[in-house]
Every structure is written in C-alpha cells, then in structure tokens.
Amino acid sequence: MRSWTLGATLFTAFGALALLVAAIGLYSVLAFDVTRQTREIGIRSALGATKTTILRGVVVNAVRLAAMGIALGLAAAAAAAPLVQDLLFQVEPRELRVMGAVAALLLAVALLASAVPALRATRVDPMEALRID
C-alpha cells in the first residue's frame, strides 16, 4: 500500500501544481488582454459604459477561455481513460461526478484569476486611456 499512497500523494501534488500554473497563466493572459485593450475600455467608459459592464466583459472573456480549455481537457481525459484505468482504485475512469467537480473547480479558479484584471479594467480613466496614443 505504501507505493500506492506515495503515487496518490504525488498525483495530488502535481495536480495542485498544475492548477496553480493554470491560474497564473490565465491571470497573465487576462492581465495582458486588459492592458492591450486599455484604449478600448477607455472609449467605452467615455461613451457611458458602466463599471459593471466592463467588469462583466472581462469575466465573460475569462469564462469563455476556461470553458474552451475545460472542454478540450474533458475530451482528452475521456480519450485517455482506458490508459489510467489500472491506476484507479474504486473509481471509474470516466466518472461524471469527478469530471464535473474538476470542471467546476477549474471554472472557479478562472473566476478568481479574472478578478484582479477585471477590477483593474474598471479603474481605467477614459482621458488617460485616450491620451496614450
């Protein structure tokens, strides 16, 4: 049992590390996207867009990116399920509850990763954004 426990612990640690890397990567992409769209966000603010509308736009973009990644990941996990079946103990390789819980966790991480860039986008001053060029 010791080798199985060690393997499970390593899988958990690498899974947590992968989740952290995914969160940092998504945050980086969203922060870059908000920085790149500073002028556009400034114009929208100048034309009367509310902070809620701007916030919603950034979060929807994050959810869209996360949903595409989750869909691809679920497809890859379903395809690779027979390869890992021998490593699983009392769990089916295509168990819907597990895949659903992982998808929900990844979606929650995406929402948390989008929080800082979304709040930064709401603080864009329209006049400064238009003066950048």
Side-chain angles (χ1 to χ4, degrees):
M1 282 305 279
R2 188 173 193 180
S3 64
W4 289 101
T5 305
L6 177 64
T9 304
L10 286 175
F11 275 131
T12 302
F14 286 134
L17 183 63
L19 185 63
L20 178 66
V21 168
I24 291 170
L26 186 59
Y27 166 79
S28 299
V29 167
L30 291 172
F32 175 74
D33 196 36
V34 166
T35 302
R36 191 176 52 108
Q37 292 180 348
T38 300
R39 182 176 166 87
E40 177 187 338
I41 293 169
I43 291 172
R44 287 181 186 205
S45 294
L47 292 175
T50 63
K51 290 185 177 193
T52 305
T53 305
I54 294 169
L55 187 77
R56 186 180 307 129
V58 174
V59 171
V60 165
N61 189 23
V63 170
R64 186 179 311 123
L65 286 173
M68 288 188 304
I70 289 169
L72 290 172
L74 287 175
L83 301 174
V84 296
Q85 187 169 6
D86 293 339
L87 299 173
L88 300 176
F89 182 69
Q90 294 182 345
V91 177
E92 291 295 318
R94 292 185 179 120
E95 190 165 335
L96 293 179
R97 285 185 293 169
V98 173
M99 289 188 174
V102 169
L105 177 66
L106 289 172
L107 197 59
V109 167
L111 288 172
L112 286 175
S114 70
V116 173
L119 291 174
R120 189 176 305 139
T122 62
R123 294 190 198 117
V124 171
D125 182 29
M127 292 308 293
E128 287 184 27
L130 295 174
R131 284 187 200 135
I132 288 177
D133 290 336

